[in-house]
Amino acid sequence: MKSPLYLLLAAALTLPVAALAAGPSAHDHGTGEPQKVELNAGKKWQTDAPLRQGMSAMRKAVNHMLPLAHAGKAQAADYDALGAEVSRQVAYIVENCKLDPKADAQLHIVIGEILGGVDAAQGKEGDKARAAGVVKIAQALNTYGRHFDHSGWQSIQMPH
């Protein structure tokens, strides 16, 4: 029965994506200000095994793709495959990850950023934005690493 998973994924991710789409202006001090990931009273949020597994798989895929995208050698199929893999991992996390509600709320912000990158990488913002989508996913994964307790997490090195 896949329908509940897709409904859960849609429900779990709609709010953060909508919040990000509502207004990316960091200088907007009104109610439309995008959410920002925060630490848990100065400490990293706890994780569980499904979250670590999914995020590690995403990091591996992005680490492989980032140099190709940066060098201009990635093809549309490469970007589409990355988007599909990242989307699979997000679905796995949503289905299996069980976090404290406050940690979960922070994770939803990160997932929203990741999915925004997936859209760009898959060409939904035009072909010229595909490489920028990979970078956006990488940046979101680095945000995850700075805010969540994931033993052995290595930040993704951005090309210069």
Side-chain angles (χ1 to χ4, degrees):
M1 214 193 263
K2 289 189 177 186
S3 292
L5 170 61
Y6 292 116
L7 291 174
L8 176 64
L9 180 60
L13 299 176
T14 300
L15 182 60
V17 173
L20 288 170
S25 172
H27 295 96
D28 179 8
H29 296 287
T31 58
E33 188 169 331
Q35 295 176 318
K36 185 175 180 186
V37 182
E38 298 175 353
L39 290 170
N40 182 11
K43 295 183 180 179
K44 291 184 176 185
W45 298 97
Q46 292 299 309
T47 60
D48 64 5
L51 175 59
R52 292 187 298 271
Q53 179 181 328
M55 291 302 225
S56 292
M58 282 187 245
R59 184 183 63 206
K60 181 179 178 182
V62 170
N63 270 331
H64 172 76
M65 183 65 173
L66 198 58
L68 294 173
H70 181 69
K73 295 183 179 182
Q75 303 297 315
D78 298 321
Y79 290 112
D80 291 343
L82 173 70
E85 172 63 14
V86 171
S87 295
R88 262 192 306 277
Q89 296 305 324
V90 168
Y92 172 80
I93 290 168
V94 169
E95 185 176 4
N96 296 289
C97 178
K98 307 291 182 228
L99 298 180
D100 167 89
K102 290 181 182 178
D104 190 62
Q106 295 299 302
L107 179 61
H108 282 243
I109 299 168
V110 173
I111 295 293
E113 292 172 8
I114 289 170
L115 292 177
V118 167
D119 282 350
Q122 290 185 318
K124 294 177 183 168
E125 296 175 12
D127 285 342
K128 293 184 180 193
R130 286 181 180 259
V134 178
V135 170
K136 186 171 184 174
I137 297 168
Q139 290 169 334
L141 291 172
N142 285 345
T143 296
Y144 162 79
R146 287 190 303 273
H147 293 86
F148 287 83
D149 187 13
H150 185 135
S151 180
W153 183 264
Q154 301 274 326
S155 289
I156 296 170
Q157 299 302 310
M158 299 294 178
H160 299 289

